[in-house]
Each structure stands twice: as structure tokens, then as C-alpha cells.
Amino acid sequence: MSVQLTREQLLTIAREYGTPVYVYHAEKIKAQFQKLTSAFSILDTKIFYACKALTNIQILRYVKSLGCNIDCSSFNEVQLALHAGFDPRQILYTSNGISFSEIQDAVKAGVHINIDSLSNLEKFGQAYGHDYPVGIRLRPNIMAGGNMKIATGHDRSKFGIPVEQHREILNLVQQYQLHVRTLHLHSGSDIKEPEVFVKGIEILFDLIPHFPELEVLDLGGGFKVPYSSEEKETPLPELAHQLKSAFDLHPLANGKSLQIWFEPGKFLVSECGYLLVSVNVLKDNTKEVFAGVNSGLNHLIRPTLYDAYHRIENLSNPDGVMKPFTVTGYICETDTFATDRLLNQVREGDVLAIYNAGAYGFEMSSNYNSRLKPAEVLVEGGMSRLIRRAEQFEDLLRFQENL
Ligand code: LLP
């Protein structure tokens, strides 16, 4: 059964809270989490929500209430996770390109850290040696996902330590007697094919014998969710079976078994989110009709940054004749949400819903053009509540005056 908010619910929220507004549907997050736990029940798996997708503290608390763990990409995210009530043992810090001081902070906080450079691994060895178990983030040299801008595992990527440098890694492990608890890789986002994850694990299998204290293979995030009706999500049950077969083909020495960790961001929160906007102006430029809305790349940058497709619906004129509209923002840049998109006749004042806005939507928003960030609303058990107020003009001056 598809879990989603109805047109009426969304319109009521637009009326009550105004637009633009981000709306999140708690039960959709729950349904996605259950899909993960059910598909991976045939393996020893732990799920860590990649909170870089959406860090609203109420969302973090909700995710925690489901029994999910959390993956952080900065020490500030670690602090948010602690603030939301996660136990340090539920927190993973997958760093990239960070200063060693952030790693020291993470050690003090007692969270598990995946280190992504030889330089930081060496500093870690010097500071902690065998005393604090550590994870190593590898670059698998796999090109994955549909979009180069969000691919992270390929052989020109800045992420992870290239697998071909395994000798250098092993030298450090030996020199500092490092206790390597996890091997990590993350190949990209929007990965539909289970084979990509299997390829990743195959690469790790070769390395496992070198790390006798290893407990976990962390395969990162990147599961695909559909952004349009033609797209499909990653077939998780098939992925689980393929991973199980891969393990069966590679029995580990001494009957040892390893846990698998995943770090999904989009899979958990993309589809739960809606960005509701209102149409400010219609403009017929003779080649296309622009529907200019009260939002822009400052609120949802994905279409501009990645040419990402987001489904759009005219909530307030559902019976209007279908016509092509180019939906644009109000920013002084070309911030097109959709080009020549078939929508029910759009009129000034109509409320449009932009779908799949939960992941990397609000989280990547900015104050460009001195525009204000919108409110966030959570719907749970049919009730809506404000979980972040909209910014006001005073917020723009907050960090600049009376210094
Ligand atoms: N783990 C690591 C180490 C990551 O770098 C990421 C995403 C994830 C997990 C979660 O990936 P997901 O399951 O959300 O695909 N802003 C882009 C996506 C960039 C993702 C960066 N890292 C977008 O809006 O498509």
C-alpha cells in the first residue's frame, strides 16, 4: 500500500502554515524503514540513517524511535544526533577530508569513526593505537548511480582511500596496531542495481583476511527511490539475497561472520517530503509559459544543481486542463524546477506540490538573494505540527549586528 499524504491534507497544511513550506510524513519514513528491516532480515544487518539528507531534530528523534541508528558526516551532525537522544554506540561518523581535531572530538564523544585518508589514519594511530576501534573508508573505483555529480566511488573521486593503496593501509595498521572494526565504502546515490553493492562487497572480501579484528562491512548508502512514475526503487529483497549468496560463496576463516551496515539517506526520507509553493506570476514568453513560484534554488537546489527531476502537481486546480508549464523560482539565477511540464492549468495563486523533497531539500537550502528559509511541518498520526518556524527578516541580521 502506498503511504502518502492526500491532496486535501497538503492543501490544508498550505492554508494553515502558508507557503513555501516543507511537509514531512512520519509514517512514510516508518514504512521505508520497515522495508529495509524486512528485506535484510536474512542477514545480520544494522541500518544507520544518513542524516545529511535531513537533520531536523524532530526527524532525528522520530528515526530514533523506529529503532534506527544514525550516520553523520560532520561533528555537528554527531552533536545533533546526541541531542536527539541517540546513544554514542548508535552513532557512526563517516568523515571525508576533515581536520584531525574533529576526529578527536568524535573519539571523546565515543562514536564509531570511518576514516577516509591515510593521513588521518596515521594521526589516529599515533594518538590512539589499538585503544579505540576504527573504521576505514575505501574508494572502490566503481562508477555507480545515474549522476556523476553524486557518484563517490569512482577512480577520480576524493572519497575514501583508494583500494589500490591497501599496502599503505596495512603498514599503518601494523605500525600502530590499529584495531580495524569496519571496512566501509559508499559508491554514490540513486543506485538501482543490486550488482553495484555486490561488486563492492567482492572488493572487500579480498581485504577481509588482513583484518582479523574486523566485525563489519559497511556498504554505505545510495539506494534508489523513484522520483517519477517510470522509476523503480532498488529491489532490496533481491539485493539481500545476492549479498547472502556472496557471503555463502566466500566462507570466512574460523566460521567467522560479519555484520553488514547500510547508511541510507534518500531511501528513508526522500518520498516523505513535499515542498509546497504558490504561484506568484504567470508569464507567456511565446515559446513557453512560465509559472513563477514563491521559492527557488534557495529552497530546493537539486533541479538546478543536478538536473534532478521532481514530480510536481497543481494541488489547487486538480480538474484543470493539462498544459505544459515551465516552473521557475524567484531567484536571480535560472532556477528552473521543471521545463514544459504537463500540469493541470496553472493560475496565479495556485498551490503546487513538489515531490521527493524530504532528502537534500531543506538541508541544502540557503539564504541566497536574502530570501528566508521556509517552515517545516511534520504530519504524524494524521496531525500536523510545526517542527521549524519560517525565518523572519530579523534572522538575516542575527549574526551580523551587535558583535
Ligand atoms: N553514506 C555516505 C558516506 C554518503 O556520503 C552518503 C551521501 C550517504 C551515505 C547517503 O546516500 P543516499 O542514501 O542519500 O543516497 N545531495 C545529493 C546526494 C549526495 C549524497 C552525499 N552522500 C542529492 O541530492 O542527490
Side-chain angles (χ1 to χ4, degrees):
M1 198 190 70
S2 93
V3 180
Q4 66 175 65
L5 297 179
T6 64
R7 199 173 60 79
E8 287 72 24
Q9 278 176 301
L10 292 171
L11 274 175
T12 305
I13 289 168
R15 243 175 266 126
E16 191 174 336
Y17 299 91
T19 64
V21 61
Y22 270 99
V23 185
Y24 310 116
H25 186 196
E27 282 78 11
K28 180 65 185 173
I29 304 178
K30 187 180 193 172
Q32 292 297 99
F33 182 64
Q34 284 170 347
K35 272 192 217 167
L36 288 162
T37 50
S38 136
F40 292 118
S41 59
I42 60 168
L43 293 161
D44 183 10
T45 313
K46 263 194 189 177
I47 306 293
F48 293 77
Y49 165 51
C51 72
K52 61 175 76 70
L54 177 59
T55 54
N56 183 293
I57 202 78
Q58 302 305 338
I59 298 291
L60 301 191
R61 290 190 175 126
Y62 183 75
V63 167
K64 179 180 175 294
S65 77
L66 299 174
C68 188
N69 307 286
I70 189 161
D71 172 50
C72 300
S73 62
S74 69
F75 188 67
N76 286 342
E77 283 185 1
V78 171
Q79 286 181 296
L80 282 175
L82 291 167
H83 186 75
F86 283 93
D87 185 279
R89 282 165 303 187
Q90 294 179 287
I91 303 176
L92 178 58
Y93 181 13
T94 306
S95 65
N96 98 82
I98 62 173
S99 79
F100 188 64
S101 65
E102 266 196 73
I103 293 179
Q104 288 172 306
D105 289 340
V107 168
K108 275 188 214 125
V111 307
H112 182 70
I113 309 160
N114 286 322
I115 291 186
D116 100 317
S117 67
L118 288 172
S119 160
N120 271 338
L121 193 62
E122 171 136 41
K123 290 176 197 153
F124 190 93
Q126 286 162 355
Y128 307 108
H130 191 266
D131 294 342
Y132 198 92
V134 70
I136 297 178
R137 178 173 185 174
L138 295 157
R139 191 191 72 193
N141 301 335
I142 295 174
M143 180 59 208
N147 191 325
M148 186 67 182
K149 283 194 182 151
I150 53 175
T152 52
H154 56 85
D155 64 3
R156 300 294 304 271
S157 160
K158 70 162 185 168
F159 297 95
I161 305 175
V163 275
E164 59 272 25
Q165 290 175 3
H166 61 272
R167 264 182 234 297
E168 286 87 333
I169 296 174
L170 291 175
N171 285 343
L172 290 176
V173 170
Q174 210 175 15
Q175 185 177 355
Y176 297 106
Q177 294 298 299
L178 289 171
H179 174 174
V180 178
R181 181 175 170 226
T182 63
L183 289 181
H184 172 281
L185 50 83
H186 169 80
S187 309
S189 207
D190 290 336
I191 305 171
K192 193 171 74 217
E193 306 78 18
E195 291 71 23
V196 172
F197 295 91
V198 176
K199 216 187 217 178
I201 210 168
E202 297 281 349
I203 289 169
L204 296 181
F205 277 135
D206 293 340
L207 296 171
I208 292 170
H210 299 291
F211 301 98
E213 293 176 299
L214 196 68
E215 294 167 34
V216 175
L217 298 182
D218 180 344
L219 299 182
F223 300 141
K224 179 159 183 54
V225 293
Y227 279 76
S228 74
S229 53
E230 289 92 60
E231 290 186 341
K232 293 255 178 308
E233 68 185 25
T234 314
L236 296 182
E238 191 184 323
L239 170 59
H241 280 104
Q242 288 197 22
L243 290 176
K244 191 162 186 325
S245 310
F247 269 115
D248 292 344
L249 283 174
H250 296 86
L252 306 179
N254 308 323
K256 181 177 173 157
S257 64
L258 295 173
Q259 199 167 54
I260 297 194
W261 288 0
F262 288 111
E263 305 161 358
K266 272 180 194 162
F267 194 84
L268 283 167
V269 298
S270 172
E271 293 163 284
C272 82
Y274 307 76
L275 173 58
L276 306 184
V277 299
S278 298
V279 179
N280 282 338
V281 281
L282 283 181
K283 192 191 274 186
D284 188 342
N285 82 342
T286 72
K287 292 203 172 59
E288 58 197 324
V289 181
F290 292 105
V293 302
N294 62 351
S295 183
L297 65 80
N298 53 324
H299 296 157
L300 180 65
I301 202 173
R302 302 191 74 259
T304 312
L305 193 58
Y306 313 123
D307 289 327
Y309 177 96
H310 283 257
R311 187 158 79 82
I312 299 180
E313 195 181 338
N314 185 351
L315 297 177
S316 49
N317 193 19
D319 300 322
V321 184
M322 296 298 274
K323 284 189 183 164
F325 290 89
T326 292
V327 181
T328 52
Y330 55 16
I331 290 295
C332 293
E333 300 257 356
T334 303
D335 55 346
T336 308
F337 285 119
T339 305
D340 279 335
R341 187 72 64 81
L342 276 183
L343 298 172
N344 295 108
Q345 174 77 53
V346 176
R347 308 157 305 180
E348 292 187 357
D350 272 341
V351 177
L352 309 185
I354 306 180
Y355 286 78
N356 284 78
Y360 310 106
F362 185 92
E363 205 59 31
M364 293 175 82
S365 65
S366 74
N367 288 115
Y368 189 36
N369 284 185
S370 294
R371 294 286 179 186
L372 304 173
K373 293 192 186 183
E376 296 180 287
V377 167
L378 180 64
V379 180
E380 187 178 359
M383 305 288 285
S384 69
R385 66 189 164 107
L386 194 64
I387 56 170
R388 180 193 298 266
R389 70 160 171 81
E391 286 181 345
Q392 298 160 355
F393 177 72
E394 293 68 38
D395 293 316
L396 294 181
L397 292 170
R398 207 143 53 104
F399 304 113
Q400 307 179 52
E401 288 202 319
N402 307 318
L403 299 175

